[in-house]
Amino acid sequence: MLKWPLVRSTSAHTEAGALAYKNLRDFIAKLEKEGELRRISAEVDPILEISEIADRANRAGGPALLFERPKGSKVPLLINMLGSERRMNLGLEVGDINEVAERIRGMIDFQSPQGIFEKIKMLPKLAELGSFFPKTVRSAPCKEVIHKDDFSLAQFPILKCWPQDAGRFITWPLVITRNPETTKRNVGVYRMQVYDDRTTGMHWQTQKHGAEHFRRARARNKDGRIEVAVAIGADPATCLAGILPIPPDLDEFMFAGFLRREPVEMVAGETVDLEVPANAEIVLEGYVKLNEKRTEGPFGDHTGFYSLEGEFPVFHITCITHRKDPVYLTTIVGPPPQEDYWMGHAVERIFLPVMKMQYPEIVDVSMPAEGIFHNLMIVAIRKSYPGHARKIMNAIWSLGQAMFTKVIVVVDHDVDVQNYREVVWKALCAIDPERDVQFNFGPADTLDHASRIQDFGSKMGVDATRKWPSEGFTRPWPDEIVMDAQTCDHVDAIWNSLGLPKYPRRPR
Ligand SMILES: Cc1cc2nc3c(=O)[nH]c(=O)nc-3n(C[C@H](O)[C@H](O)[C@H](O)COP(=O)(O)O)c2cc1C
Ligand SMILES: [Mn+2]
Protein backbone atom coordinates (compact mmCIF):
# COMPACT_ATOMS: atom_id res chain seq x y z
CA MET A 1 0.00 0.00 0.00
CA LEU A 2 1.24 3.41 -0.92
CA LYS A 3 1.85 5.55 2.12
CA TRP A 4 2.54 9.16 1.40
CA PRO A 5 5.69 10.25 3.22
CA LEU A 6 4.54 13.47 4.80
CA VAL A 7 7.51 15.61 5.66
CA ARG A 8 6.49 17.45 8.76
CA SER A 9 7.64 21.00 8.97
CA THR A 10 9.71 22.17 11.88
CA SER A 11 8.34 25.72 11.90
CA ALA A 12 6.23 26.54 14.92
CA HIS A 13 2.79 28.05 14.82
CA THR A 14 2.11 29.45 18.20
CA GLU A 15 -0.67 31.89 18.97
CA ALA A 16 1.77 34.79 19.22
CA GLY A 17 4.56 35.43 16.78
CA ALA A 18 3.48 32.72 14.37
CA LEU A 19 5.59 32.02 11.32
CA ALA A 20 3.83 31.94 8.01
CA TYR A 21 3.14 28.48 6.62
CA LYS A 22 5.86 27.80 4.12
CA ASN A 23 3.82 25.53 1.92
CA LEU A 24 0.81 23.26 1.74
CA ARG A 25 2.36 20.40 3.72
CA ASP A 26 3.24 22.79 6.51
CA PHE A 27 -0.45 23.64 6.78
CA ILE A 28 -1.45 19.98 6.49
CA ALA A 29 0.76 19.26 9.50
CA LYS A 30 -0.91 22.08 11.41
CA LEU A 31 -4.40 20.85 10.52
CA GLU A 32 -3.47 17.37 11.65
CA LYS A 33 -2.11 18.64 14.94
CA GLU A 34 -5.32 20.60 15.53
CA GLY A 35 -7.54 17.61 14.79
CA GLU A 36 -8.77 19.29 11.62
CA LEU A 37 -7.57 16.68 9.15
CA ARG A 38 -8.42 13.06 8.45
CA ARG A 39 -6.31 10.77 6.32
CA ILE A 40 -8.12 8.25 4.18
CA SER A 41 -5.95 5.29 3.31
CA ALA A 42 -8.64 3.32 1.47
CA GLU A 43 -8.54 3.56 -2.30
CA VAL A 44 -11.20 6.03 -3.49
CA ASP A 45 -12.12 7.05 -7.02
CA PRO A 46 -11.61 10.70 -8.00
CA ILE A 47 -14.50 10.13 -10.41
CA LEU A 48 -17.49 11.25 -8.30
CA GLU A 49 -16.64 9.25 -5.14
CA ILE A 50 -14.26 11.76 -3.56
CA SER A 51 -16.77 14.49 -4.32
CA GLU A 52 -19.58 12.61 -2.56
CA ILE A 53 -17.40 11.96 0.48
CA ALA A 54 -16.17 15.55 0.66
CA ASP A 55 -19.72 16.88 0.31
CA ARG A 56 -20.93 14.72 3.19
CA ALA A 57 -17.97 15.66 5.37
CA ASN A 58 -18.43 19.34 4.62
CA ARG A 59 -22.15 19.34 5.41
CA ALA A 60 -21.46 17.57 8.68
CA GLY A 61 -18.91 20.23 9.68
CA GLY A 62 -16.17 17.64 9.22
CA PRO A 63 -12.42 18.07 8.76
CA ALA A 64 -10.13 18.52 5.79
CA LEU A 65 -9.61 15.19 4.03
CA LEU A 66 -6.33 13.82 2.74
CA PHE A 67 -6.98 10.96 0.34
CA GLU A 68 -3.74 9.00 0.35
CA ARG A 69 -4.74 6.56 -2.40
CA PRO A 70 -6.89 8.17 -5.03
CA LYS A 71 -7.66 5.52 -7.61
CA GLY A 72 -5.42 5.67 -10.66
CA SER A 73 -2.84 8.07 -9.23
CA LYS A 74 0.15 7.98 -6.93
CA VAL A 75 -0.47 11.58 -5.90
CA PRO A 76 -2.45 12.16 -2.68
CA LEU A 77 -5.34 14.60 -2.77
CA LEU A 78 -6.33 17.28 -0.24
CA ILE A 79 -9.89 18.64 -0.13
CA ASN A 80 -11.96 20.77 2.23
CA MET A 81 -8.78 22.56 3.39
CA LEU A 82 -10.50 25.86 4.28
CA GLY A 83 -14.03 24.47 4.64
CA SER A 84 -14.84 25.81 8.09
CA GLU A 85 -14.48 29.01 10.05
CA ARG A 86 -11.82 27.41 12.25
CA ARG A 87 -9.71 26.16 9.36
CA MET A 88 -9.97 29.53 7.63
CA ASN A 89 -8.73 31.18 10.83
CA LEU A 90 -5.92 28.63 11.14
CA GLY A 91 -5.04 29.20 7.49
CA LEU A 92 -4.79 32.94 7.98
CA GLU A 93 -3.26 32.53 11.44
CA VAL A 94 -5.86 34.64 13.21
CA GLY A 95 -8.22 33.96 16.07
CA ASP A 96 -11.00 35.72 14.18
CA ILE A 97 -11.26 36.75 10.53
CA ASN A 98 -12.00 40.32 11.63
CA GLU A 99 -8.36 40.57 12.73
CA VAL A 100 -7.44 40.67 9.06
CA ALA A 101 -10.01 43.43 8.55
CA GLU A 102 -8.43 45.30 11.48
CA ARG A 103 -5.00 45.09 9.87
CA ILE A 104 -6.42 46.45 6.63
CA ARG A 105 -8.16 49.24 8.53
CA GLY A 106 -4.82 50.08 10.13
CA MET A 107 -3.24 50.35 6.70
CA ILE A 108 -6.02 52.52 5.33
CA ASP A 109 -5.89 54.89 8.32
CA PHE A 110 -2.25 55.55 7.58
CA GLN A 111 -2.85 56.40 3.96
CA SER A 112 -3.28 60.16 4.26
CA PRO A 113 -0.70 61.62 6.62
CA GLN A 114 -1.41 65.24 7.59
CA GLY A 115 1.83 66.79 8.83
CA ILE A 116 5.49 65.86 8.88
CA PHE A 117 5.15 63.89 12.12
CA GLU A 118 2.32 61.86 10.71
CA LYS A 119 4.48 61.15 7.69
CA ILE A 120 7.35 59.94 9.84
CA LYS A 121 5.00 57.78 11.86
CA MET A 122 3.84 56.24 8.62
CA LEU A 123 7.30 55.03 7.57
CA PRO A 124 7.20 51.74 9.45
CA LYS A 125 3.80 51.01 7.86
CA LEU A 126 5.21 51.69 4.43
CA ALA A 127 8.19 49.49 5.18
CA GLU A 128 5.77 46.82 6.33
CA LEU A 129 3.85 47.13 3.08
CA GLY A 130 7.08 46.95 1.08
CA SER A 131 8.06 43.82 2.93
CA PHE A 132 5.08 41.98 1.48
CA PHE A 133 6.20 42.21 -2.13
CA PRO A 134 6.91 38.83 -3.68
CA LYS A 135 10.55 37.86 -3.55
CA THR A 136 12.39 36.11 -6.38
CA VAL A 137 14.43 33.04 -5.48
CA ARG A 138 16.71 30.89 -7.66
CA SER A 139 15.91 27.36 -6.59
CA ALA A 140 12.56 26.03 -5.58
CA PRO A 141 10.84 22.90 -4.27
CA CYS A 142 8.28 23.13 -7.08
CA LYS A 143 11.14 22.26 -9.45
CA GLU A 144 12.27 19.06 -7.75
CA VAL A 145 10.89 17.20 -10.74
CA ILE A 146 10.78 18.84 -14.17
CA HIS A 147 8.93 17.24 -17.09
CA LYS A 148 9.43 18.92 -20.44
CA ASP A 149 8.74 15.96 -22.71
CA ASP A 150 7.19 13.04 -20.90
CA PHE A 151 4.32 14.57 -19.03
CA SER A 152 0.63 14.00 -18.65
CA LEU A 153 -2.13 15.39 -16.49
CA ALA A 154 -3.21 11.77 -16.06
CA GLN A 155 -0.65 11.42 -13.25
CA PHE A 156 -2.82 13.64 -11.00
CA PRO A 157 -6.09 12.58 -9.30
CA ILE A 158 -8.19 15.26 -10.96
CA LEU A 159 -11.83 15.10 -9.93
CA LYS A 160 -14.94 14.58 -11.86
CA CYS A 161 -17.19 16.31 -9.34
CA TRP A 162 -20.81 15.71 -10.40
CA PRO A 163 -22.57 13.22 -12.69
CA GLN A 164 -23.30 15.59 -15.59
CA ASP A 165 -19.84 17.22 -15.57
CA ALA A 166 -18.23 17.15 -19.00
CA GLY A 167 -15.15 15.47 -17.54
CA ARG A 168 -12.46 16.03 -14.96
CA PHE A 169 -11.87 19.58 -13.76
CA ILE A 170 -8.94 21.18 -11.96
CA THR A 171 -10.89 23.26 -9.46
CA TRP A 172 -8.29 25.18 -7.47
CA PRO A 173 -5.66 26.33 -9.96
CA LEU A 174 -3.85 29.62 -9.39
CA VAL A 175 -3.84 30.91 -12.95
CA ILE A 176 -1.02 33.38 -13.52
CA THR A 177 -0.92 35.77 -16.49
CA ARG A 178 0.66 39.09 -17.29
CA ASN A 179 -1.15 42.15 -18.62
CA PRO A 180 0.51 42.61 -22.03
CA GLU A 181 0.14 46.40 -21.79
CA THR A 182 1.25 47.13 -18.24
CA THR A 183 3.22 43.86 -17.67
CA LYS A 184 1.50 43.55 -14.27
CA ARG A 185 0.76 40.08 -12.96
CA ASN A 186 -2.67 38.63 -12.25
CA VAL A 187 -3.64 35.53 -10.32
CA GLY A 188 -7.14 34.09 -10.54
CA VAL A 189 -8.78 30.77 -9.72
CA TYR A 190 -10.45 29.70 -12.96
CA ARG A 191 -11.47 26.05 -13.29
CA MET A 192 -9.80 24.00 -16.00
CA GLN A 193 -11.57 21.13 -17.77
CA VAL A 194 -9.18 18.37 -18.76
CA TYR A 195 -9.49 17.66 -22.50
CA ASP A 196 -6.51 15.32 -22.78
CA ASP A 197 -3.06 14.71 -21.26
CA ARG A 198 -1.78 18.17 -22.19
CA THR A 199 -4.76 20.41 -22.87
CA THR A 200 -7.44 21.92 -20.68
CA GLY A 201 -10.11 24.57 -20.85
CA MET A 202 -9.45 28.02 -19.41
CA HIS A 203 -12.68 29.16 -17.83
CA TRP A 204 -11.86 32.78 -17.09
CA GLN A 205 -15.23 34.47 -17.12
CA THR A 206 -15.80 37.53 -19.26
CA GLN A 207 -15.22 40.20 -16.63
CA LYS A 208 -12.26 38.55 -14.88
CA HIS A 209 -8.70 39.83 -15.15
CA GLY A 210 -7.33 36.77 -16.96
CA ALA A 211 -9.98 37.29 -19.66
CA GLU A 212 -9.00 40.95 -19.93
CA HIS A 213 -5.34 40.00 -20.42
CA PHE A 214 -6.48 37.60 -23.14
CA ARG A 215 -8.46 40.37 -24.89
CA ARG A 216 -5.61 42.86 -24.69
CA ALA A 217 -3.14 40.37 -26.11
CA ARG A 218 -5.63 39.49 -28.83
CA ALA A 219 -6.05 43.13 -29.78
CA ARG A 220 -2.31 43.21 -30.53
CA ASN A 221 -2.13 40.00 -32.51
CA LYS A 222 -5.20 37.84 -32.85
CA ASP A 223 -3.16 34.88 -34.05
CA GLY A 224 -0.66 35.04 -31.19
CA ARG A 225 -0.51 33.40 -27.78
CA ILE A 226 -0.59 34.49 -24.17
CA GLU A 227 1.67 32.68 -21.73
CA VAL A 228 0.00 31.13 -18.71
CA ALA A 229 1.38 29.40 -15.63
CA VAL A 230 -0.79 27.52 -13.14
CA ALA A 231 0.20 26.68 -9.58
CA ILE A 232 -1.71 24.01 -7.67
CA GLY A 233 -1.32 23.74 -3.89
CA ALA A 234 0.64 26.23 -1.80
CA ASP A 235 0.39 27.80 1.65
CA PRO A 236 -3.24 28.66 2.48
CA ALA A 237 -2.94 32.46 2.15
CA THR A 238 -1.45 32.11 -1.32
CA CYS A 239 -4.18 29.69 -2.35
CA LEU A 240 -6.87 32.04 -1.02
CA ALA A 241 -5.32 35.06 -2.75
CA GLY A 242 -6.32 33.61 -6.13
CA ILE A 243 -9.99 34.18 -5.41
CA LEU A 244 -9.72 37.68 -3.94
CA PRO A 245 -11.63 40.36 -5.86
CA ILE A 246 -8.88 42.97 -5.83
CA PRO A 247 -8.49 45.71 -8.48
CA PRO A 248 -6.84 44.95 -11.82
CA ASP A 249 -3.06 45.30 -11.96
CA LEU A 250 -2.76 44.69 -8.23
CA ASP A 251 -0.76 41.52 -7.70
CA GLU A 252 -2.68 38.91 -5.72
CA PHE A 253 0.64 37.43 -4.56
CA MET A 254 1.47 40.78 -2.96
CA PHE A 255 -1.84 40.53 -1.13
CA ALA A 256 -0.94 36.97 -0.13
CA GLY A 257 2.28 38.39 1.34
CA PHE A 258 0.19 40.83 3.37
CA LEU A 259 -2.09 38.04 4.59
CA ARG A 260 0.77 35.74 5.61
CA ARG A 261 2.98 38.62 6.80
CA GLU A 262 5.84 37.25 4.73
CA PRO A 263 6.53 37.63 1.04
CA VAL A 264 5.57 34.88 -1.35
CA GLU A 265 8.74 33.42 -2.85
CA MET A 266 8.63 33.26 -6.64
CA VAL A 267 10.80 31.43 -9.12
CA ALA A 268 11.14 31.79 -12.89
CA GLY A 269 9.17 29.40 -15.09
CA GLU A 270 11.01 26.82 -17.22
CA THR A 271 9.26 27.48 -20.52
CA VAL A 272 7.34 30.72 -19.87
CA ASP A 273 8.37 34.23 -18.97
CA LEU A 274 6.28 34.16 -15.80
CA GLU A 275 7.18 33.52 -12.18
CA VAL A 276 5.45 30.86 -10.09
CA PRO A 277 5.26 30.33 -6.31
CA ALA A 278 8.47 28.50 -5.37
CA ASN A 279 6.71 26.41 -2.74
CA ALA A 280 3.86 25.22 -4.94
CA GLU A 281 3.17 21.50 -5.06
CA ILE A 282 2.54 21.37 -8.81
CA VAL A 283 3.10 23.87 -11.64
CA LEU A 284 1.69 23.69 -15.16
CA GLU A 285 3.29 25.97 -17.74
CA GLY A 286 1.96 26.73 -21.18
CA TYR A 287 -0.01 29.09 -23.35
CA VAL A 288 -3.46 29.98 -24.55
CA LYS A 289 -3.87 30.61 -28.28
CA LEU A 290 -5.66 33.87 -28.93
CA ASN A 291 -7.68 32.51 -31.86
CA GLU A 292 -8.85 29.25 -30.30
CA LYS A 293 -11.98 28.37 -28.36
CA ARG A 294 -13.52 25.07 -27.44
CA THR A 295 -16.67 23.88 -25.76
CA GLU A 296 -16.31 23.89 -21.98
CA GLY A 297 -18.76 22.42 -19.47
CA PRO A 298 -21.25 21.47 -18.31
CA PHE A 299 -19.94 21.68 -14.76
CA GLY A 300 -21.77 21.31 -11.45
CA ASP A 301 -21.27 24.83 -10.23
CA HIS A 302 -21.45 26.84 -7.04
CA THR A 303 -24.97 27.96 -7.90
CA GLY A 304 -26.04 24.41 -7.05
CA PHE A 305 -26.93 23.91 -10.73
CA TYR A 306 -24.88 22.84 -13.71
CA SER A 307 -23.36 25.71 -15.61
CA LEU A 308 -24.09 24.97 -19.24
CA GLU A 309 -21.67 24.44 -22.07
CA GLY A 310 -19.90 27.54 -23.34
CA GLU A 311 -17.04 28.47 -25.63
CA PHE A 312 -13.83 29.19 -23.74
CA PRO A 313 -10.11 29.45 -24.52
CA VAL A 314 -7.84 26.40 -24.39
CA PHE A 315 -4.69 25.97 -22.29
CA HIS A 316 -1.81 24.04 -23.90
CA ILE A 317 0.74 22.67 -21.45
CA THR A 318 4.44 22.87 -22.36
CA CYS A 319 5.95 21.72 -19.08
CA ILE A 320 4.92 20.29 -15.72
CA THR A 321 7.07 20.69 -12.63
CA HIS A 322 6.33 19.42 -9.15
CA ARG A 323 7.75 18.39 -5.83
CA LYS A 324 9.15 14.89 -5.43
CA ASP A 325 6.03 13.89 -3.51
CA PRO A 326 3.37 16.38 -4.57
CA VAL A 327 -0.06 16.76 -2.99
CA TYR A 328 -2.91 17.67 -5.32
CA LEU A 329 -5.12 20.38 -3.78
CA THR A 330 -8.71 20.58 -4.89
CA THR A 331 -12.17 21.67 -3.80
CA ILE A 332 -15.70 21.11 -5.01
CA VAL A 333 -18.51 23.54 -5.58
CA GLY A 334 -22.17 22.54 -5.64
CA PRO A 335 -25.37 23.02 -3.66
CA PRO A 336 -24.57 25.63 -0.98
CA PRO A 337 -22.95 25.78 1.43
CA GLN A 338 -19.66 24.28 0.29
CA GLU A 339 -16.04 25.08 1.04
CA ASP A 340 -16.28 28.17 -1.17
CA TYR A 341 -18.85 29.65 1.24
CA TRP A 342 -16.04 30.04 3.79
CA MET A 343 -13.82 31.62 1.19
CA GLY A 344 -16.56 34.06 0.21
CA HIS A 345 -17.25 34.80 3.85
CA ALA A 346 -13.57 35.60 4.40
CA VAL A 347 -13.67 37.92 1.39
CA GLU A 348 -16.78 39.64 2.79
CA ARG A 349 -15.11 40.27 6.16
CA ILE A 350 -11.64 41.15 4.81
CA PHE A 351 -12.93 43.76 2.36
CA LEU A 352 -15.59 45.36 4.55
CA PRO A 353 -13.11 48.05 5.74
CA VAL A 354 -12.31 48.88 2.12
CA MET A 355 -16.01 49.30 1.35
CA LYS A 356 -16.42 51.41 4.46
CA MET A 357 -13.49 53.60 3.49
CA GLN A 358 -15.25 54.56 0.27
CA TYR A 359 -18.73 54.55 1.78
CA PRO A 360 -18.50 55.27 5.51
CA GLU A 361 -22.29 55.11 5.81
CA ILE A 362 -22.04 51.31 5.40
CA VAL A 363 -22.40 49.69 8.83
CA ASP A 364 -22.25 46.03 7.82
CA VAL A 365 -22.92 43.74 4.87
CA SER A 366 -23.80 40.10 4.58
CA MET A 367 -24.08 37.57 1.79
CA PRO A 368 -26.06 34.50 2.89
CA ALA A 369 -24.65 31.17 1.68
CA GLU A 370 -27.81 30.39 -0.28
CA GLY A 371 -27.41 33.67 -2.14
CA ILE A 372 -24.13 32.22 -3.54
CA PHE A 373 -22.44 35.65 -3.30
CA HIS A 374 -23.69 37.29 -6.44
CA ASN A 375 -27.41 36.74 -5.93
CA LEU A 376 -27.98 38.58 -2.66
CA MET A 377 -26.23 41.24 -0.62
CA ILE A 378 -27.80 42.75 2.48
CA VAL A 379 -26.38 46.12 3.44
CA ALA A 380 -27.03 48.15 6.58
CA ILE A 381 -26.43 51.89 6.25
CA ARG A 382 -26.61 54.91 8.48
CA LYS A 383 -29.09 56.80 6.37
CA SER A 384 -28.46 60.57 6.22
CA TYR A 385 -30.34 61.99 3.25
CA PRO A 386 -33.23 61.27 0.93
CA GLY A 387 -32.42 58.54 -1.60
CA HIS A 388 -29.41 57.37 0.38
CA ALA A 389 -30.32 53.68 0.01
CA ARG A 390 -30.49 54.09 -3.78
CA LYS A 391 -27.09 55.72 -3.82
CA ILE A 392 -25.59 52.74 -1.98
CA MET A 393 -27.16 50.27 -4.42
CA ASN A 394 -25.56 52.14 -7.31
CA ALA A 395 -22.24 52.25 -5.46
CA ILE A 396 -22.25 48.49 -4.93
CA TRP A 397 -23.16 47.81 -8.55
CA SER A 398 -20.05 49.74 -9.54
CA LEU A 399 -17.68 48.20 -6.99
CA GLY A 400 -15.42 45.53 -8.52
CA GLN A 401 -16.98 42.07 -8.57
CA ALA A 402 -19.91 43.38 -6.50
CA MET A 403 -21.14 44.50 -9.94
CA PHE A 404 -22.60 40.99 -10.25
CA THR A 405 -24.96 41.40 -7.28
CA LYS A 406 -28.42 40.46 -8.54
CA VAL A 407 -30.40 41.63 -5.52
CA ILE A 408 -29.32 44.26 -3.01
CA VAL A 409 -31.40 44.86 0.10
CA VAL A 410 -30.56 48.05 1.97
CA VAL A 411 -31.69 48.30 5.59
CA ASP A 412 -31.21 50.83 8.36
CA HIS A 413 -28.19 50.72 10.66
CA ASP A 414 -30.17 49.16 13.51
CA VAL A 415 -30.93 45.96 11.57
CA ASP A 416 -28.47 43.13 12.24
CA VAL A 417 -27.70 41.96 8.70
CA GLN A 418 -26.03 38.81 10.03
CA ASN A 419 -29.38 37.75 11.49
CA TYR A 420 -31.45 36.71 8.47
CA ARG A 421 -34.64 36.31 10.54
CA GLU A 422 -34.37 39.91 11.64
CA VAL A 423 -33.66 41.02 8.07
CA VAL A 424 -36.71 39.25 6.64
CA TRP A 425 -38.91 40.60 9.41
CA LYS A 426 -37.78 44.22 9.34
CA ALA A 427 -37.03 44.59 5.63
CA LEU A 428 -40.41 43.26 4.55
CA CYS A 429 -42.20 45.46 7.07
CA ALA A 430 -40.37 48.49 5.71
CA ILE A 431 -41.26 48.23 2.03
CA ASP A 432 -44.06 49.29 -0.22
CA PRO A 433 -42.89 47.06 -3.07
CA GLU A 434 -43.92 49.14 -6.04
CA ARG A 435 -42.31 52.22 -4.53
CA ASP A 436 -39.20 50.69 -2.97
CA VAL A 437 -37.95 48.31 -5.60
CA GLN A 438 -35.60 49.62 -8.26
CA PHE A 439 -34.53 47.73 -11.37
CA ASN A 440 -31.25 48.27 -13.11
CA PHE A 441 -29.23 46.67 -15.88
CA GLY A 442 -25.61 45.67 -15.89
CA PRO A 443 -23.03 42.89 -16.14
CA ALA A 444 -24.27 39.55 -14.84
CA ASP A 445 -22.17 36.68 -13.52
CA THR A 446 -21.37 34.27 -16.36
CA LEU A 447 -22.82 31.50 -14.18
CA ASP A 448 -26.22 33.17 -13.92
CA HIS A 449 -28.44 30.87 -15.94
CA ALA A 450 -31.56 33.01 -15.59
CA SER A 451 -30.28 36.23 -17.12
CA ARG A 452 -31.69 36.90 -20.59
CA ILE A 453 -28.25 36.82 -22.21
CA GLN A 454 -25.01 35.39 -20.83
CA ASP A 455 -23.06 38.06 -18.90
CA PHE A 456 -25.78 40.74 -19.10
CA GLY A 457 -28.97 41.11 -17.14
CA SER A 458 -31.13 43.04 -14.74
CA LYS A 459 -30.64 43.74 -11.07
CA MET A 460 -32.98 44.63 -8.27
CA GLY A 461 -32.41 46.96 -5.37
CA VAL A 462 -34.78 46.98 -2.43
CA ASP A 463 -34.86 50.12 -0.32
CA ALA A 464 -35.90 48.60 3.00
CA THR A 465 -34.90 51.60 5.09
CA ARG A 466 -37.43 53.66 7.05
CA LYS A 467 -39.06 56.14 4.68
CA TRP A 468 -38.67 59.81 5.41
CA PRO A 469 -40.97 62.82 4.85
CA SER A 470 -38.22 64.23 2.64
CA GLU A 471 -38.68 61.17 0.47
CA GLY A 472 -42.37 61.91 0.12
CA PHE A 473 -43.54 59.61 2.91
CA THR A 474 -45.84 61.68 5.07
CA ARG A 475 -47.45 59.03 7.27
CA PRO A 476 -46.01 58.50 10.75
CA TRP A 477 -43.48 55.62 11.03
CA PRO A 478 -44.13 53.40 14.05
CA ASP A 479 -41.64 52.52 16.77
CA GLU A 480 -40.37 48.97 17.13
CA ILE A 481 -41.81 47.18 20.16
CA VAL A 482 -39.35 47.05 23.04
CA MET A 483 -40.14 46.29 26.68
CA ASP A 484 -38.93 49.06 28.99
CA ALA A 485 -35.76 48.40 30.98
CA GLN A 486 -37.44 49.06 34.31
CA THR A 487 -39.97 46.28 33.78
CA CYS A 488 -37.24 43.91 32.55
CA ASP A 489 -35.12 44.61 35.63
CA HIS A 490 -38.07 44.13 37.93
CA VAL A 491 -39.00 40.83 36.29
CA ASP A 492 -35.37 39.71 36.63
CA ALA A 493 -35.56 40.53 40.32
CA ILE A 494 -38.77 38.54 40.94
CA TRP A 495 -37.96 35.72 38.53
CA ASN A 496 -37.00 33.16 41.15
CA SER A 497 -40.39 33.54 42.82
CA LEU A 498 -42.19 32.50 39.60
CA GLY A 499 -41.17 28.87 39.72
CA LEU A 500 -40.21 28.95 36.03
CA PRO A 501 -36.98 27.80 34.42
CA LYS A 502 -34.48 30.56 33.65
CA TYR A 503 -35.91 32.15 30.48
CA PRO A 504 -33.53 34.82 29.17
CA ARG A 505 -34.48 38.38 28.34
CA ARG A 506 -34.95 39.29 24.71
CA PRO A 507 -31.51 40.46 23.56
CA ARG A 508 -31.24 44.15 22.72
C1 LIG B 1 -13.50 27.05 -6.17
C2 LIG B 1 -13.60 28.27 -7.04
C3 LIG B 1 -13.70 28.12 -8.42
C4 LIG B 1 -13.78 29.24 -9.24
N1 LIG B 1 -13.90 29.06 -10.59
C5 LIG B 1 -13.95 30.14 -11.40
C6 LIG B 1 -13.99 29.97 -12.81
O1 LIG B 1 -14.02 28.87 -13.33
N2 LIG B 1 -14.01 31.10 -13.58
C7 LIG B 1 -13.98 32.35 -13.05
O2 LIG B 1 -13.96 33.32 -13.80
N3 LIG B 1 -13.96 32.54 -11.70
C8 LIG B 1 -13.92 31.46 -10.88
N4 LIG B 1 -13.88 31.64 -9.52
C9 LIG B 1 -13.93 33.01 -8.97
C10 LIG B 1 -12.62 33.75 -9.18
O3 LIG B 1 -11.54 33.01 -8.67
C11 LIG B 1 -12.66 35.13 -8.51
O4 LIG B 1 -13.69 35.88 -9.12
C12 LIG B 1 -11.34 35.88 -8.59
O5 LIG B 1 -11.45 37.11 -7.92
C13 LIG B 1 -10.92 36.13 -10.01
O6 LIG B 1 -9.66 36.78 -10.05
P1 LIG B 1 -9.47 38.10 -10.90
O7 LIG B 1 -10.27 39.18 -10.23
O8 LIG B 1 -8.00 38.38 -10.84
O9 LIG B 1 -9.95 37.81 -12.29
C14 LIG B 1 -13.78 30.54 -8.68
C15 LIG B 1 -13.69 30.67 -7.30
C16 LIG B 1 -13.60 29.56 -6.48
C17 LIG B 1 -13.50 29.75 -5.00
MN1 LIG C 1 -6.97 40.13 -10.28
Side-chain angles (χ1 to χ4, degrees), residues 44-350:
V44 183
D45 201 333
I47 305 293
L48 303 179
E49 285 179 11
I50 289 183
S51 184
E52 173 64 14
I53 295 164
D55 185 38
R56 289 190 197 184
N58 188 282
R59 268 186 302 129
L65 302 175
L66 184 65
F67 289 88
E68 294 180 320
R69 287 177 63 220
K71 191 172 174 185
S73 173
K74 293 199 169 82
V75 175
L77 174 150
L78 178 67
I79 194 163
N80 208 4
M81 169 172 89
L82 296 176
S84 74
E85 186 171 7
R86 175 142 197 268
R87 289 200 291 289
M88 181 62 72
N89 291 344
L90 286 169
L92 296 175
E93 296 176 275
V94 292
D96 182 312
I97 191 73
N98 290 313
E99 288 171 34
V100 183
E102 277 305 319
R103 282 182 66 216
I104 292 186
R105 208 180 341 267
M107 288 286 172
I108 293 170
D109 286 348
F110 273 93
Q111 287 305 300
S112 48
Q114 293 303 312
I116 181 77
F117 290 108
E118 282 295 313
K119 285 190 174 120
I120 292 169
K121 269 201 294 191
M122 193 176 150
L123 287 176
K125 282 277 170 197
L126 282 179
E128 194 189 349
L129 258 182
S131 72
F132 302 138
F133 284 103
K135 197 168 87 183
T136 305
V137 296
R138 291 192 161 278
S139 69
C142 72
K143 306 268 190 178
E144 282 169 0
V145 180
I146 299 176
H147 296 284
K148 286 190 181 156
D149 305 309
D150 56 325
F151 59 83
S152 167
L153 286 174
Q155 78 177 107
F156 304 114
I158 301 170
L159 297 187
K160 177 177 178 184
C161 305
W162 299 102
Q164 291 177 34
D165 284 5
R168 299 184 189 239
F169 284 80
I170 300 172
T171 55
W172 202 335
L174 302 170
V175 178
I176 303 164
T177 52
R178 205 194 297 284
N179 181 330
E181 287 169 13
T182 64
T183 73
K184 300 278 198 226
R185 171 165 50 218
N186 189 67
V187 189
V189 172
Y190 315 121
R191 72 171 187 240
M192 292 159 51
Q193 178 181 344
V194 177
Y195 292 130
D196 59 45
D197 289 350
R198 297 180 179 206
T199 25
T200 75
M202 185 48 76
H203 188 262
W204 44 44
Q205 293 163 201
T206 311
Q207 306 90 344
K208 305 297 173 76
H209 299 151
E212 184 62 19
H213 291 187
F214 174 92
R215 285 190 291 268
R216 291 193 189 186
R218 199 178 137 81
R220 297 183 151 199
N221 173 13
K222 70 178 176 44
D223 297 315
R225 298 170 166 188
I226 184 169
E227 293 191 319
V228 178
V230 175
I232 303 169
D235 67 275
T238 301
C239 293
L240 187 70
I243 73 146
L244 299 180
I246 63 177
D249 276 2
L250 223 151
D251 183 3
E252 279 84 357
F253 287 144
M254 201 271 276
F255 209 92
F258 168 80
L259 289 176
R260 64 201 293 272
R261 302 176 174 87
E262 252 180 64
V264 178
E265 293 186 353
M266 305 294 295
V267 67
E270 294 297 309
T271 62
V272 289
D273 183 22
L274 291 167
E275 292 189 319
V276 298
N279 288 302
E281 297 292 316
I282 300 162
V283 175
L284 315 176
E285 300 181 6
Y287 60 88
V288 165
K289 286 192 208 161
L290 301 171
N291 59 7
E292 182 185 23
K293 288 203 175 167
R294 186 166 166 175
T295 304
E296 200 267 4
F299 175 71
D301 225 311
H302 83 137
T303 55
F305 294 87
Y306 286 96
S307 53
L308 305 175
E309 290 179 358
E311 296 299 306
F312 280 86
V314 180
F315 177 53
H316 298 269
I317 304 173
T318 52
C319 172
I320 295 182
T321 79
H322 56 79
R323 288 169 174 266
K324 275 205 285 289
D325 52 354
V327 179
Y328 176 74
L329 174 68
T330 194
T331 183
I332 55 165
V333 293
Q338 298 279 348
E339 180 170 12
D340 67 331
Y341 167 72
W342 297 104
M343 303 184 202
H345 181 67
V347 167
E348 176 198 297
R349 292 293 99 191
I350 290 172

Side-chain angles (χ1 to χ4, degrees), residues 354-420:
V354 182
M355 280 178 92
K356 285 188 178 184
M357 180 183 64
Q358 288 197 54
Y359 304 106
E361 61 267 50
I362 293 179
V363 176
D364 199 5
V365 303
S366 82
M367 291 183 277
E370 291 73 12
I372 53 168
F373 315 119
H374 61 260
N375 280 350
L376 178 61
M377 186 185 289
I378 306 161
V379 190
I381 63 164
R382 199 166 282 282
K383 178 167 164 176
S384 310
Y385 41 79
H388 204 156
R390 313 272 176 151
K391 177 246 188 173
I392 281 297
M393 294 169 199
N394 290 307
I396 289 165
W397 283 321
S398 65
L399 200 68
Q401 288 184 40
M403 68 173 131
F404 299 130
T405 314
K406 186 143 65 167
V407 177
I408 299 174
V409 179
V410 185
V411 294
D412 281 309
H413 64 276
D414 56 355
V415 178
D416 177 4
V417 298
Q418 308 298 336
N419 180 340
Y420 304 138

